[in-house]
Every structure is written in structure tokens, then in C-alpha cells.
Amino acid sequence: MRKIDQKRRGVLKLAVLFAAVPFVDVVSNRTNLLAATVSRFSTTLVTNGEVLTAAHWGMLKLTIKDVKIVKSEPYQKTSDIFNSLQYYTQDLVYAKDRIKYPMVRKSYLENPNSSKPELRGKDEWVRVSYEEAIKLIAGELKKTREDRGAEGIFAGSYGWKSSGNMHNSRVLLHRFMNTIGGFTGSLGDYSTGAAQVIMPHVLGTIEVYEQQTSWPVVLESSKVVVIWGANLMRTLKISWTSTDEQGFKYLQELKKSNKQIICIDPEKNETCTYLDAKWVPITPGTDVALMMGMAYHLLKTDNYDKVFLDEYTEGFDEFKEYLLGKKDKVAKDTKWASKICGIDEATIKELALLMYNNRTMIMAGWGIQRAQYGEQTHWMIVTLASMLGQIGLAGGGFGFSYHYSNGGVPTAKGGKIGGITSTITSTQNTGGSSWLEKTAKFSFPVARIADALLNPGKVIEHNGSKITYPDIDFVYWVGGNPMVHHQDTNTLVKALRKPKTIVVNEIFWTPTARMADIVMPVTTSYERDDITMSGDYSNLNIIPMKQAVERQNEAKDDYDIFCDLAKEFGVLKDYSQNKTALEWIEEFYLSAYNQVENIGLNIPKFKEFWEANKPVTFEVPQENAEFVRYADYREDPILEPLGTPSGKIEIFSKVIENMNYDDCKGHPTWFEPDEWLGMKNKDAEFALITSHPDHRLHSQLNNTSLREKYAVANREPIFINKKDAKSKGIKDGDLVRVYNKRGEILAGAVLTDKLKRGVVRVDEGAWYDPLERGKIGTICLNGNVNVLTKDIPTSKLANGNSSNTALVNIEKYTKKAKDISIFKQP
Ligand code: PGD
């Protein structure tokens, strides 16, 4: 194996890329907490100069002029790949649609007991004082708690919030709710809803959020790289903490390598184009059928690793029976597969043999499991990879996180900062996958929210157990935008009419804030102190996120709001531990400081770090650069068993089989989705894919001037194959009505030959802008794709979301369209 240049081994250094920042004309920062004690020292604002900060989209250098942000740019570059998200901080801070003051829906303010919930989304708003808003929230929360207990309060509050281990709004909300007696929360997430539940049965680990075989190993050892339903060029622009952009660097090296790169995808996406890879266009939702065709061919031609299957897997024989069609009389051969997935038999066979005969890394994305029966995709990838027999070998096997948060970037040796915790007794670091922590008293799968609100008392199956939906009457949402992120918006509007009270802490007048009864104005992360690390897997940098500008209008930090609510409940001391945000931040830093000291290295003391305006950067030890996932298991399956019942990779799972579900059997299975291109009696013509956007983080940044670079006819773009568009009389730039039985949206046409015929793409994340506010079924003027998607669970096993299982019709929109108004004050 190639050795990585490690000249800087064992030495920690402060990054010196950032020149000294002139902290002149300093304005003192007010500590806005009504209740917590004052910090020992406080941040001073820069009047003119530069401030380092961080967002999900990377480390940013902000230029401040007269105490205002005038410029935002990347702090450093790692490759030639452009990250469009990094230039719009000032648009966010000074956005026209900032929530300026606490606001209450008129009918709710008049009488919370009879508040006309059908007016949510269209009622007038009334400005109230901050103190009045706090009292109103606390009073109604107390009433619901007395009437219904913790079960009646939903604070699952899913969302990507902002970076920062202190102002982690969802955790702050959970901490508050736990301090006053608990709440109903949610299980899992929208990203990997299906895979994260099935993988523990198959591999004994969640797998999707684990470190990958390191990129240097892939570059050294893989001959073939198969990118299966992933678009790294887009998704590596962001990270759960803050992207270190090291993945871009490796992508650039992959481009320069002479490896054979294949992209299996309905679209020749940016990554496929950048890497000049071979594009294998596939019908959406049929990857399992393709993999089964490949598996069948390997089996029939005796090109599969029997030794690996015997030693490291469980239940291949049961799967083999199914593959050969012993029971259902359907052989999953290449002819069968080709008919379903739209890829010719020769290509299927060629792919299978290429992957068997060469060291192959399968880099799979998550969009393919965000579909009905999504559990099957990743299970089948593991099964196919087991037949190839390269799991645990350098550059072989599979990786489910190369496209996310820079998975595969070697982990640095240093310390991890702490983070605010969701209970006052826990001390765990909530920086990483904090949203997966089970902190609530009662929970249901996150994407069942509309179903749960609409059907209290309903019992659902979930991963071998039964869950009863609680009767929710109070919803508190922070740091998320369900009116954009949840499937089937019209059903969600109906569901959000059920609870008595909805409170939202938000920065902007998002579609979700507009559906609330009480809205609390929140600071952006540039108006408060915080701290984060970059690189969720690499742990490369600790970044100070010092307040850059004054809080705008009456915006408060979520921490302030929850401290003041905690005061109303008499639990402020427990909640805040009498600490200001900066004191917490210092403590989080100290946690890393101590870890670093324990391994004989050193980093600056907190004050020095905080005032230096530079990240602390850690070194990567050589052994981490050589990491091969599952090498230990391969080396010694007896001493290093997997966490499955058999200790092996479970191609057949007795546990799942015993659940007796009709939509998830004991081995990978092809299930025909409710809506797909190959179905009989289709009631719509095109398969809809809803990828993650290139120029947003979900819905974040849709309200900035970056939108002007991609909006078409001032709407979200719809990408249509040129021939399909011609058959519908649609031209580039036309306004298009996209519709199905669930709803309709307007979108702007972009014609392309990079999409498989019969497929259209509208990215998720455009803000819902209904023609008639608050009305169910009205057209969305801005093109929120979830108006069209299906709100069904992936299966009874995982209950993940099925956002890529939908058919739509398209037509040129010839009427005069109303202009969008969602990015203005309501
Ligand atoms: P964001 O746009 O990031 O989307 O859904 P998510 O709700 O996470 O929303 C975050 C919100 O938090 C923004 O409105 C932002 O203003 C607010 N916010 C930011 N910082 C703070 C803060 O400090 N305090 C408070 N109170 N608020 C803050 C994303 C979800 O969408 C995800 S993760 C996935 S993977 C799904 N993907 C798809 C998909 O592929 N296809 C479809 N059709 N639908 C999807 N939905 C899901």
C-alpha cells in the first residue's frame, strides 16, 4: 500500500491560513439572556475586519464593514470543485423575510381554546412582546401537560438546524422538555429511514453513519468504482457539522486516476459528468431488480465467491432459492431484470462480471432507499457484495457514506468537543449523530408525523414491535421545515389542523413558521457565539463560531428562549446550570483540550483559541489513512463477529422472517412499488425523482439571491428529457404544471439529454407557496416537490419515507401565473 506523506506526524498546529484579524473599533456584545449569569469574558464584535465562522457548507470567512457583513467566502479551498453555497451569509442575515418579532396568529391570540385551526397558514399575525409570548407558550404548555401528560406534547422537531454544538436548537428543545417532564419524540431520520433500521439486522451496525474504507485506500486499490445512486458533487457541499471538503479533494484525485468509474442512476448527474464516468441509466425504483439480475448471472456462470459466502454470511441458500424462483416460479434472471430496470441484458451481465473480476468499491447513496420497500436496496447491495467476496479487502466491498459528510476521509487524531445535551443528567457529546439519540418518553417513526397527528390511538407495526400513536395537542418545532421536507404536503396541512397549539422558533417566515400559532424570532448562527468541528468522520478542525454581527430586530437565541421558558416552570437553574452560552462553549472546548492533553499533544487554552480567530487543525495518523472497513471481521470472524444474531452478514434474517411482514421478508426481495414506470394502468406518465439540491441545503438558502442562478421562470426548475419535452410541446424556460392525484405545482422547464426517458427531476427543498394560503389542494407557485410525493412508509420494518416513489404528469402552463410571494413578510 502506498504510504501517505506524514511529515507533520504527531504535531498539532493551528492553521495559519488566516491572517491576523484586525479587531478594531470594537463594539461590546450584549449578553441577551434574561436569566443566565454573565460570562467571565464576552465576545467583542468586529466593526471592520474579518471573522471566521462555520456553516454546514463549510468554514467561512466573513468580511465585516461598519458592523455589517458585506462579503462571505470560503475560508480555504481543497479542490477545483466550486461550493456555491458559501457566498450568501449576508443574504441570510439581512433577509427580507426574517421574523422580526414574536408573532401570534390572530384567532389564537383571541382565544387559544377555539382558535380556528383551519385558518393556520392564512390568518393575520399580531405582534406581541417577547415576555407576553413566553407567558403564552408556558401557559398553554402547562395546560396540555396537565390534560394529556408528556404524550400530548410533540417535540420531535426534526431538521437540519444550523451548525454549532451550543445552539443545537433541537437538542435545546429536548433538554427543556425533558427538564419539565418529557415529550413525544420521533425515531430515526428522513435521510436513511429504511437503511438504518434494516442494516443492524444484516450487519449488526447502523452502517450508514460509519467510517468508510479510507479514500487513500480506494485510490490505491480499487480498480472499479461503482457510484450507485449518489451525487457526491452536490452532497459533499454540506455536512452535519461543517464540511471539511476533503471529500472534494479525493473526488478530484479519483477523476485523475485511471479507474473504471460507473454511475448507475436515472440521471447522468454532476458527479458522473465530472468524473467522465460510464452512465448506466436505470428506471427509478428498480435497483433491486438490477442487482438480482446481476446476482443471477454470477450464480449461473459460477462467478461468485462461495468461500466468502460460507465463512462470512448466513442464509445464502434461502436467497438462492428465491433468486432461482424455486417457490414463486419467477427466475430473477437478466431477462426478468432487464424488463424491470430498463437496462439491456448484455450490460447487466457485463457489469456483474466486471465487478467480480476486478477489485470493486460500490459507493451507494441513500436516495434509492428513500422509496417504498427502501429496506431492500441496501440489503441487496450487501448481498451482491458478498457474492463478489471483496468485503474487508482493500478497495473492495461497499460504502454507504462516501457521499455524506465526507465519509472515507481518514479520521484525525485529536480531541472531540462536547455539546449541549438533551437531558440535564447526560454528559454525552451530542455533536455527532445527536438526532438519533433516544431522548423522548414516547416516539414514533419520524416520517409518520402526519399519520400520527391524524390518527391518534392507531397502532402501527415497527421493526418487530407495535407502536400506538399518542393524542398530540401541542407541537413545538425548532430547526426544521416540515412543510417543505415532509411528503404529501396537502395531507400535512390537514394534519397540522389537528393540534390545539403549534409553536415554531424560526429565523425566517418559512412555510412551517406560517403554519404556527406562535412564532418566536431566532438568531442566525452569525449573531451568536458557538463552536463546531468540521468533518463528521475526519474530526479535522475545531472551529470558533464567534458572533459576527448584532442580533437583528428582536431575534433571540433558542437558548435564551428555552432559558426563559424554563424560568416560567421554575427549572431555570437545572436547565442552564447557571451558564451563559459562552461558558458552555468553553466547557465543550475543554473536553477536547483534555482528550488532546491525555494523548500527549497540546492545543491552545480556550481564551487564546477564541481570540485567535483560527481553527485548530489535527493531524491524521497513518494507520487511519489505511483503514479498511470490515478488515477485522475478514481477518478473524470468530474473534471479531458482527453484531447480528449469527455474528455473520445475514443474507437471510430469521429475526425479520419471524416478524411475518408482507412488505419485508426474511431475505432481499423484489417488490413492485405502488407507483413506477413499469406498472400496469398508470394514472400518470413520468417517474419523479426528488434529489437533494445543488444550490441549497434542503430548504435552507432558498430565500437568498443564489436562487436567481437556478430558478426558471422564477420557479423551481423541472428537468425533463428533451424528447419527452418535445412530445409534450414544452420548451426550455416554459412554465410547467406538474401534477398527480395528490396535488400540483408550477415549475420552470430545463430540457436535458442527461435524464433517462420517462423520468423528470424536481429537487426537494423549494419553499411551499400555495396559491390560496391555508387551502388544501391549491397549486404551489414555487414548486415544492413534496406536494406530489407519497406519504407512505417504506415498509412495516422501518417506516422510512418514500419520497422517490411517485408518478406525475406534466403540461405546459399557458394561463397567467401568479407570482411567488413566499420570500416576503406575510
Ligand atoms: P432544512 O431546510 O435544513 O430542512 O428537512 P429539514 O427540515 O432539515 O430546515 C432547517 C430549518 O431550520 C430551516 O427552516 C432553518 O431556517 C431553520 N434553522 C436553522 N438554524 C436554526 C436555529 O438555530 N434555530 C431555529 N429555531 N431554526 C433554525 C430535510 C429533510 O428533507 C431531510 S434531512 C431529508 S434526507 C429528506 N430528503 C428528501 C428528499 O430527498 N426528497 C423529498 N421529496 N423530500 C425530502 N425531505 C427530507
Side-chain angles (χ1 to χ4, degrees), residues 143 250 280 282 317 325 440 600 605 662 689 723 769 793:
K143 277 191 223 157
Y250 291 115
V280 180
I282 185 168
D317 286 344
K605 288 255 163 48
D662 54 356
I689 53 172
K723 289 185 183 141
D769 190 0

Side-chain angles (χ1 to χ4, degrees), residues 459-520:
V459 180
I460 61 159
E461 298 282 349
H462 181 70
N463 198 17
S465 58
K466 292 192 191 310
I467 292 178
T468 308
Y469 290 147
D471 196 355
I472 296 164
D473 213 24
F474 192 110
V475 172
Y476 205 134
W477 216 293
V478 299
N481 200 355
M483 282 297 293
V484 179
H485 78 222
H486 187 67
Q487 290 60 56
D488 192 354
T489 316
N490 285 309
T491 301
L492 184 64
V493 173
K494 201 166 148 203
L496 288 177
R497 289 180 178 177
K498 291 277 288 195
K500 181 181 161 198
T501 305
I502 302 179
V503 184
V504 173
N505 291 3
E506 246 298 346
I507 303 165
F508 310 107
W509 279 108
T510 61
T512 301
R514 288 165 198 256
M515 284 299 286
D517 300 309
I518 306 169
V519 171
M520 299 300 276

Side-chain angles (χ1 to χ4, degrees), residues 675-809:
E675 285 184 32
W676 71 293
L677 277 180
M679 73 190 287
K680 291 197 191 95
N681 306 322
K682 291 198 287 276
D683 61 4
E685 204 178 338
F686 294 92
L688 173 71
I689 53 172
T690 67
S691 309
H692 284 191
D694 201 9
H695 303 300
R696 284 192 296 266
L697 165 59
H698 304 302
S699 77
Q700 295 186 51
L701 295 159
N702 197 207
N703 58 336
T704 66
S705 56
L706 178 55
R707 184 175 176 277
E708 290 157 23
K709 302 213 180 342
Y710 61 85
V712 175
N714 202 22
R715 325 278 155 167
E716 185 67 12
I718 177 167
F719 293 80
I720 313 171
N721 178 288
K722 281 180 183 160
K723 289 185 183 141
D724 290 333
K726 197 167 173 212
S727 76
K728 294 282 157 193
I730 295 170
K731 297 202 183 61
D732 247 323
D734 276 351
L735 204 53
V736 178
R737 176 174 167 256
V738 194
Y739 62 100
N740 60 20
K741 57 194 168 210
R742 291 174 289 278
E744 51 182 336
I745 64 170
L746 287 182
V750 179
L751 274 43
T752 174
D753 46 20
K754 290 185 172 179
L755 263 180
K756 189 174 166 69
R757 280 208 70 176
V759 181
V760 293
R761 166 166 67 83
V762 181
D763 295 334
E764 55 102 16
W767 290 19
Y768 175 61
D769 190 0
L771 175 66
E772 287 180 60
R773 297 220 184 275
K775 187 177 167 192
I776 295 170
T778 188
I779 194 164
C780 172
L781 301 169
N782 187 38
N784 169 27
V785 76
N786 276 325
V787 169
L788 305 165
T789 54
K790 264 171 106 78
D791 183 16
I792 50 164
T794 50
S795 84
K796 296 183 188 72
L797 187 92
N799 285 291
N801 72 85
S802 301
S803 49
N804 284 315
T805 302
L807 292 175
V808 293
N809 286 312

